Amino acid sequence: MDDMFHFFAGRDQVTVRIPLVQPAAFPRHDLTQWPSDAGKPIVVPRQALLDAAGRMDGIVPRKWKQTLEEAQFLVPGNDRTSVTSFTIDRIFHMLGIVGVGKSTLRDTLTYYLVTEKQMRVTIVVGDVAEVLSLVEMFTKLGCAAAPVLGVTSREQHTQRLHRRIAGKDERNALAHDDPAFIHLSTSCALNALVHEDDAPISYNDAPCDFLRRQRKRKPKNSDRQLPDYTRLSYSCPFWGKCPRHHPARALVDADIWVTTPAGLVDGSVPRSQNAERIRYLELAARRSHLVIVDEADRVQMQLDQMFAPAVTLAGEASVSWLDQLSTHKIQELVAGRRIQLSNRDVENWTSALSTASMVTDRIYALLVSSWDLRKWVAWSYFNAWQLGSRFVSLLFADREEVLEKQAGKGKRKKERRPAPDEETALKMEAAKVRLNKIFDEFRKDPHGQRADMCDEAVALVELANGLIHTKRSRRTRSRVQEVLAILLGESAQLCWPEHEHEWAQVADKLELTIFLCALEPALALLTGMWPLVQAALNLKFNDLHRRPLDYGPLVPEAPMGNVLGFEFSTHGHDTGGVRSGELRLFRCSGVGRDLLSRIPDIPRPDGHPGSHVLLMSGSSWAGESTRYHILEPVDLVLEPSAEKMKRITDESALRLEFARHLGVPLTLSGADPDDRPEILQKMVAFFAERDDEPNSRFEYELVSLPPNRRHLLVLTGSYDEAKIVADAIAQAMHRDRVVRLMPDDEPDREDEDENAAPTLRRGDVSTLAGLPAAILVAPLLAVERGHNILDLDKEEAAIGTVYFLARPNPRPDDLRLAIQAINDWIMRSMADGSFSQRVRDAESIGAAGRELRHLARKEWYRVMGRSLAWSRLGDDRVSVTWDLLVLMWQVIGRLVRGGVEARVVLVDAAFAPGTAKALEQQKIPGQKVLVTDHDDVQTSLLLSIREVLGDYLTTGRAGEHSARECAIVTSLYAPLWHAIDRCVRTPTNGDSL
Ligand code: SF4
């Protein structure tokens, strides 16, 4: 006896006949169970850890015990007390200099708690490759470990693993037998049951929890129109044995969960397994005695990002959020015979979706076809308010300034129109205020439903309707210009456009602004009404809304309110003409980083004790950094043995070695994107070609390194640049001498030039020492953290020298920086008491809230609009310096693993532009100069890092900071400061030969 079921695969309705089988029993999570000793502080004796490490060495030899024995456990402070045990109570913040053995401590502690104390531990690490290798290692150690992996990205992880194995010369996918594949199954048994005419079920369409059974009997009230299939969803009868759900089943009894932040925060227990709707984060907090967050500062950044999600509204590929929503809506309406539309909320929601889709198409069409518009919005994110106010400012901008910007680099006009006289300036100001008011009124009600709108705003409403619903014809364009004339009135003569084509550009910008004003309320309606229509339309995916709904009680609202913003980016460099790209929407909806410190509180509303949390990192104390600094007090610092610390501090060397072309030091940072490939080629020529010398600079450097560490790491700004550099090195030296890092996701290129440099997948970077290549070329951000790159004996870092081809610099269009800055701002104000004080001083809670919102908005617009050019950082310099020094130090830290020294070469003249200039202009070539004679903290990142760290490390200035803070900086960053200090105090000629 069979049953007929149906489900949707994309837009297609698929029918499947499933034999009546007895579903296999499978384990479910017991949410009521309290872990033994739940909530009690966890005491960890050092000796117990050493004993556990010794036992681990007997099973999986990795020098666990030796590494731990060498590490000192210090309480930060003046006397640097060494401890023999530590107690984890609620949140424990542990720091350790890069390479000290934090991962060893993480694994040993987990092993000790699981095997000795019968506790459960959840470990959060950076990527899925690390998750899988940790699960494998703990399984070998005899522990029950399972990964928490996102289901939607499973296919991607499976492909990554296949690619990595294929990259090791095992091209036959059938021979790929990595044990991790057991956690990455993507198969679906229903494929064997669908009709032979139906396409195979794609991974994301598998109806594990959403099968609808064919009705067997007519409903009693036969007049009612009901679908042929039940509205109720059924689970697949094969769930209990399905290989795809093996990890979900294994998690029930696993003592160790290993996961990524996304897997933990986003993933939820499958509906087939537990009826309760619960995220894995909540479950981990209920069942685990300890949650270990590795690289906690990176997790903090990821959480910020998760609560300021972005979706693609329109793009080349068919992944747009609105397309997905529309498809889903159609499926649901068809399944429900459109009965859902009798609900007014559903009707309004679907109408908002149609409007949003239509307006998005209009915006996309405008941006794709106009380079001028793309340039106008390319500088950062944009929204209706910003475009409105920028449109008004543009109208009254200095004409020559506008033309200069449009002409671009190298075509600047020298003559400028004289500044307007006082009377004209006043008139312009008044016109701006008036126009801004009109836009405000229109933005608040772009559909014109209020009766008290001014005539100009009404004209905008009518124009918006016309633009959205009619073709873009000549008539529409002339209507835009007519409305523009109405808006400007007499002030038209004060505006910069003089010629017809200039007015056409202005009209384009007005159209875009109007569309944005219409799109924002439609999107707000879509997300705002989501909960009201969720059940009726069976909505389950909404990247913009999902996290806030579940985590709303835990994560504070974004201080400036929920901000909607848009971004448009083209694929590759935008050289003008018609260019497609991606229109993205982001939404700040909470201070994501606050979730880290809330984990212990998650189960408390049920009276259930929460787990303790161990935060670990090498840089989660980072002064004024808005990205890395975690505000939890530091409880313990790990340091290498005094001997190793001394070697790292005294023997690590940093030098300026400017790549030159025709004697001129080359500057990469800040260069036009079009010029960067050529500059990189010249840099490679400087280091990889021999010229008149017997060896190239790279070769001299390699032979000067200890034999086990003869590898160079050459850092670029992106994967594309890594390819340019690696290929150039391959040509200048030998193809086998170099390897370039490539993302795990990138498919192998069939058309690769045979002279191109070989590649190494990011997930396999730890295998570098076994390759013939001596030079690894990689983007800076791809090697900031991750797998250790050790020599063949696994004792010391395999890389001896790192070359920074570009000075790291924050990207001005990177929204994450502004989000991190505003989150840091509110968290610090809560930590230092100024938030509470403001509330106490205000007349009422409401007044305090309004004031805070006002201040937060001010700060938000400040951080959004700030210049991130190094010379114009102003008050943000110290904070940005902290961000960059941590970034550089994390990479340099890859070279000090095993307690050895690092060599750091700064190639980009932007590291010390004044010094580079002085060397270029000197009369006697090769004469040495002092960096401090030609640069200062305003011009040189190097000197700024020296000053920022020196404030904690230099006697005399350290008084401004607590002894505890100074001790932390000494433990974490002293080697970097000493290396920089030695560099700037030693005269240099910017060359090593
Ligand atoms: S449980 Fe397994 S067999 Fe059933 S639909 Fe899901 S993937 Fe397919």
Side-chain angles (χ1 to χ4, degrees):
M1 181 82 172
D2 299 344
D3 258 339
M4 293 296 287
F5 290 87
H6 98 138
F7 61 96
F8 277 102
R11 284 176 185 258
D12 300 327
Q13 193 173 176
V14 180
T15 304
V16 60
R17 182 182 294 277
I18 301 182
L20 206 56
V21 291
Q22 180 65 36
F26 53 84
R28 299 169 200 271
H29 297 278
D30 181 356
L31 304 187
T32 58
Q33 192 186 31
W34 282 35
S36 59
D37 286 342
K40 288 189 185 158
I42 302 173
V43 180
V44 185
R46 182 183 160 101
Q47 188 54 48
L49 283 182
L50 290 173
D51 294 344
R55 288 197 300 281
M56 290 165 76
D57 276 327
I59 309 169
V60 179
R62 282 199 193 169
K63 299 192 174 131
W64 305 98
K65 190 169 181 183
Q66 184 188 330
T67 310
L68 272 191
E69 275 174 338
E70 288 176 0
Q72 306 180 66
F73 292 16
L74 303 174
V75 175
N78 254 349
D79 50 357
R80 293 162 50 83
T81 318
S82 185
V83 295
T84 54
S85 75
F86 57 91
T87 303
I88 303 173
D89 189 5
R90 197 172 181 278
I91 293 188
F92 193 84
H93 190 181
M94 177 188 287
L95 293 170
I97 189 171
V98 278
V100 67
K102 292 185 296 297
S103 306
T104 304
L105 178 69
R106 173 198 70 196
D107 299 342
T108 314
L109 176 61
T110 303
Y111 184 77
Y112 161 69
L113 294 179
V114 168
T115 57
E116 290 288 305
K117 299 284 174 186
Q118 286 71 51
M119 290 185 171
R120 287 170 164 179
V121 179
T122 297
I123 306 176
V124 185
V125 293
D127 59 43
V128 171
E130 196 176 356
V131 168
L132 297 173
S133 85
L134 272 181
V135 168
E136 190 188 340
M137 185 197 71
F138 281 117
T139 306
K140 279 186 192 159
L141 285 166
C143 303
V148 184
L149 299 173
V151 176
T152 48
S153 52
R154 177 85 58 86
E155 257 188 328
Q156 193 186 17
H157 301 311
T158 312
Q159 284 171 1
R160 278 183 191 168
L161 190 57
H162 278 300
R163 285 196 183 113
R164 284 176 47 205
I165 298 172
K168 293 175 193 162
D169 279 344
E170 185 46 87
R171 297 271 160 193
N172 180 4
L174 293 176
H176 294 180
D177 57 356
D178 194 292
F181 280 119
I182 195 174
H183 305 298
L184 295 175
S185 172
T186 54
S187 62
C188 174
L190 288 197
N191 269 314
L193 300 175
V194 293
H195 193 275
E196 59 187 14
D197 292 342
D198 284 327
I201 305 167
S202 70
Y203 175 77
N204 284 319
D205 288 332
C208 310
D209 299 327
F210 297 100
L211 281 168
R212 286 183 178 157
R213 190 194 295 264
Q214 192 174 35
R215 288 178 188 279
K216 287 191 173 148
R217 57 189 167 80
K218 275 196 152 197
K220 279 184 192 158
N221 180 359
S222 57
D223 290 343
R224 276 182 65 203
Q225 280 209 324
L226 281 177
D228 298 334
Y229 291 89
T230 55
R231 289 280 296 147
L232 196 69
S233 296
Y234 290 83
S235 294
C236 172
F238 305 132
W239 202 96
K241 288 281 180 198
C242 180
R244 188 184 290 205
H245 300 289
H246 165 78
R249 295 191 300 267
L251 285 170
V252 176
D253 294 321
D255 294 319
I256 303 172
W257 283 13
V258 192
T259 184
T260 58
L264 199 61
V265 174
D266 281 347
S268 50
V269 176
R271 220 176 60 161
S272 302
Q273 194 171 21
N274 274 68
E276 301 90 349
R277 194 162 162 264
I278 185 167
R279 300 267 169 191
Y280 278 118
L281 174 60
E282 186 180 347
L283 187 51
R286 294 178 85 90
R287 74 187 299 278
S288 308
H289 293 80
L290 180 65
V291 176
I292 302 179
V293 183
D294 198 8
E295 304 286 7
D297 48 345
R298 179 173 58 182
V299 174
Q300 168 170 278
M301 289 191 280
Q302 289 169 325
L303 288 173
D304 279 350
Q305 192 68 18
M306 285 180 194
F307 286 85
V311 292
T312 301
L313 284 182
E316 283 179 345
S318 59
V319 290
S320 108
W321 183 63
L322 292 174
D323 285 350
Q324 285 178 344
L325 272 187
S326 299
T327 306
H328 182 82
K329 177 196 81 176
I330 291 165
Q331 287 174 355
E332 288 300 319
L333 290 181
V334 168
R337 303 246 168 127
R338 299 193 180 267
I339 287 171
Q340 302 98 316
L341 287 174
S342 61
N343 178 327
R344 178 60 64 87
D345 288 338
V346 174
E347 188 192 349
N348 288 340
W349 190 87
T350 53
S351 153
L353 178 58
S354 305
T355 307
S357 300
M358 204 156 41
V359 178
T360 299
D361 286 346
R362 298 281 186 189
I363 292 174
Y364 192 77
L366 271 178
L367 289 169
V368 163
S369 55
S370 166
W371 190 31
D372 179 54
L373 276 186
R374 292 200 298 273
K375 283 190 294 179
W376 196 48
V377 300
W379 62 281
S380 180
Y381 91 104
F382 55 97
N383 58 29
W385 178 84
Q386 274 188 332
L387 282 199
S389 93
R390 288 176 65 205
F391 176 76
V392 173
S393 302
L394 176 83
L395 281 174
F396 297 98
D398 182 307
R399 174 188 164 74
E400 298 306 324
E401 198 178 305
V402 173
L403 294 180
E404 269 180 19
K405 278 185 188 157
Q406 288 179 347
K409 193 182 145 198
K411 297 177 193 163
R412 303 214 165 186
K413 303 199 170 189
K414 294 206 170 81
E415 286 180 25
R416 299 177 69 88
R417 189 166 69 173
D421 58 42
E422 201 176 328
E423 189 187 347
T424 312
L426 283 174
K427 279 186 187 166
M428 286 168 85
E429 208 43 52
K432 277 196 215 174
V433 171
R434 179 177 153 273
L435 265 183
N436 274 322
K437 273 192 183 160
I438 295 170
F439 272 110
D440 281 349
E441 206 168 320
F442 170 60
R443 214 178 48 249
K444 279 182 204 154
D445 184 12
H447 303 297
Q449 284 160 354
R450 279 178 23 208
D452 56 346
M453 288 181 102
C454 66
D455 291 346
E456 291 87 346
V458 171
L460 279 174
V461 170
E462 287 167 3
L463 179 60
N465 278 331
L467 288 172
I468 292 169
H469 297 292
T470 60
K471 287 184 199 157
R472 291 189 72 214
S473 60
R474 193 171 292 175
R475 168 75 198 114
T476 327
R477 170 45 55 97
S478 66
R479 182 63 193 143
V480 174
Q481 300 211 1
E482 282 165 28
V483 172
L484 196 49
I486 296 173
L487 295 183
L488 288 170
E490 288 177 3
S491 55
Q493 57 193 338
L494 303 170
C495 299
W496 69 266
E498 285 175 2
H499 304 293
E500 189 65 22
H501 73 277
E502 291 169 357
W503 278 110
Q505 289 176 0
V506 170
D508 274 349
K509 290 177 177 108
L510 178 60
E511 267 191 59
L512 183 63
T513 308
I514 287 173
F515 284 139
L516 255 292
C517 291
L519 179 58
E520 283 188 1
L523 291 172
L525 205 71
L526 273 185
T527 50
M529 292 185 70
W530 195 276
L532 300 180
V533 300
Q534 189 162 21
L537 289 178
N538 200 16
L539 295 174
K540 55 185 181 291
F541 58 94
N542 180 359
D543 276 338
L544 284 181
H545 214 278
R546 184 175 51 191
R547 288 167 187 132
L549 270 185
D550 281 16
Y551 295 105
L554 283 171
V555 176
E557 192 179 329
M560 65 290 184
N562 291 345
V563 174
L564 272 180
F566 301 83
E567 253 189 323
F568 185 79
S569 55
T570 54
H571 303 288
H573 183 53
D574 189 354
T575 48
V578 175
R579 291 292 296 254
S580 71
E582 270 195 3
L583 179 63
R584 300 198 323 145
L585 165 70
F586 73 92
R587 180 170 183 262
C588 296
S589 51
V591 184
R593 60 179 61 190
D594 198 38
L595 193 54
L596 257 191
S597 53
R598 304 286 179 132
I599 295 173
D601 305 325
I602 292 176
R604 290 197 199 281
D606 293 350
H608 193 106
S611 58
H612 303 289
V613 176
L614 170 60
L615 305 175
M616 305 177 85
S617 177
S619 47
S620 51
W621 195 97
E624 292 180 37
S625 168
T626 58
R627 315 182 71 191
Y628 301 102
H629 188 78
I630 291 181
L631 288 163
E632 291 294 334
V634 178
D635 298 292
L636 195 72
V637 175
L638 288 192
E639 259 192 27
S641 64
E643 187 190 341
K644 282 190 173 173
M645 192 69 177
K646 183 168 166 36
R647 180 172 169 188
I648 296 171
T649 307
D650 292 352
E651 296 181 29
S652 291
L654 185 142
R655 67 176 192 260
L656 290 166
E657 190 169 344
F658 300 131
R660 294 172 191 241
H661 179 69
L662 304 176
V664 179
L666 297 166
T667 302
L668 189 62
S669 179
D672 190 291
D674 285 342
D675 298 336
R676 285 176 73 103
E678 193 185 332
I679 298 171
L680 286 167
Q681 302 264 10
K682 288 174 181 168
M683 285 179 161
V684 171
F686 183 79
F687 284 101
E689 289 176 3
R690 294 184 181 176
D691 295 331
D692 298 333
E693 294 283 331
N695 285 310
S696 68
R697 285 176 165 80
F698 277 157
E699 283 163 338
Y700 280 126
E701 183 67 25
L702 280 168
V703 294
S704 69
L705 290 167
N708 64 328
R709 305 190 59 210
R710 281 192 183 150
H711 290 93
L712 310 180
L713 174 60
V714 178
L715 297 173
T716 61
S718 66
Y719 279 109
D720 286 346
E721 290 186 355
K723 176 158 174 53
I724 293 168
V725 170
D727 289 351
I729 295 175
Q731 284 200 352
M733 294 173 75
H734 190 280
R735 189 175 177 272
D736 286 347
R737 299 288 282 160
V738 62
V739 66
R740 81 173 159 93
L741 201 72
M742 74 185 287
D744 292 334
D745 286 337
E746 191 176 307
D748 288 319
R749 291 176 54 159
E750 301 294 334
D751 58 341
E752 192 68 277
D753 179 353
E754 60 181 24
N755 295 319
T759 55
L760 177 66
R761 296 272 174 196
R762 185 171 178 264
D764 294 323
V765 72
S766 58
T767 62
L768 179 71
L771 303 177
I775 302 175
L776 170 66
V777 186
L780 174 64
L781 290 175
V783 288
E784 183 196 356
R785 319 221 179 178
H787 310 272
N788 284 335
I789 310 173
L790 299 176
D791 64 1
L792 287 174
D793 293 333
K794 307 280 179 222
E795 297 263 344
E796 297 179 344
I799 297 171
T801 306
V802 56
Y803 288 76
F804 285 84
L805 294 195
R807 184 197 65 192
N809 210 46
R811 281 185 48 162
D813 58 348
D814 190 346
L815 276 172
R816 289 170 299 182
L817 300 177
I819 288 158
Q820 285 153 1
I822 195 75
N823 286 354
D824 179 71
W825 176 83
I826 188 68
M827 292 295 282
R828 285 188 197 254
S829 71
M830 287 201 282
D832 67 16
S834 56
F835 177 86
S836 316
Q837 191 58 46
R838 191 162 288 127
V839 175
R840 277 196 293 271
D841 293 347
E843 283 177 6
S844 64
I845 295 282
R850 281 191 293 278
E851 192 197 341
L852 180 77
R853 181 61 51 90
H854 170 72
L855 288 173
R857 287 214 168 125
K858 217 167 125 190
E859 179 65 10
W860 172 245
Y861 290 126
R862 189 191 76 76
V863 294
M864 285 299 301
R866 67 186 165 168
S867 166
L868 290 174
W870 181 259
S871 55
R872 292 198 292 274
L873 279 173
D875 291 344
D876 291 311
R877 185 181 57 77
V878 174
S879 141
V880 173
T881 299
W882 268 108
D883 289 347
L884 298 181
L885 81 86
V886 168
L887 178 59
M888 288 180 71
W889 182 227
Q890 282 284 358
V891 178
I892 297 168
R894 295 184 150 275
L895 277 62
V896 303
R897 300 285 197 275
V900 291
E901 69 282 0
R903 284 192 207 168
V904 183
V905 183
L906 307 182
V907 175
D908 190 349
F911 277 107
T915 309
K917 195 84 193 156
L919 289 171
E920 180 192 334
Q921 292 173 343
Q922 66 188 180
K923 296 206 172 74
I924 308 168
Q927 222 176 13
K928 294 188 172 179
V929 299
L930 270 174
V931 174
T932 44
D933 286 346
H934 301 281
D935 278 294
D936 56 31
V937 294
Q938 310 288 345
T939 61
S940 169
L941 170 63
L942 206 56
L943 292 179
S944 190
I945 294 177
R946 179 172 174 252
E947 183 188 80
V948 161
L949 291 180
D951 278 350
Y952 295 86
L953 300 174
T954 317
T955 320
R957 285 196 286 173
E960 295 167 24
H961 304 285
S962 71
R964 197 178 177 81
E965 290 175 335
C966 294
I968 292 169
V969 173
T970 305
S971 293
L972 296 186
Y973 306 109
L976 177 64
W977 183 81
H978 281 286
I980 292 177
D981 189 54
R982 280 193 294 272
C983 171
V984 300
R985 282 193 291 109
T986 310
T988 178
N989 61 4
D991 200 350
S992 63
L993 290 182

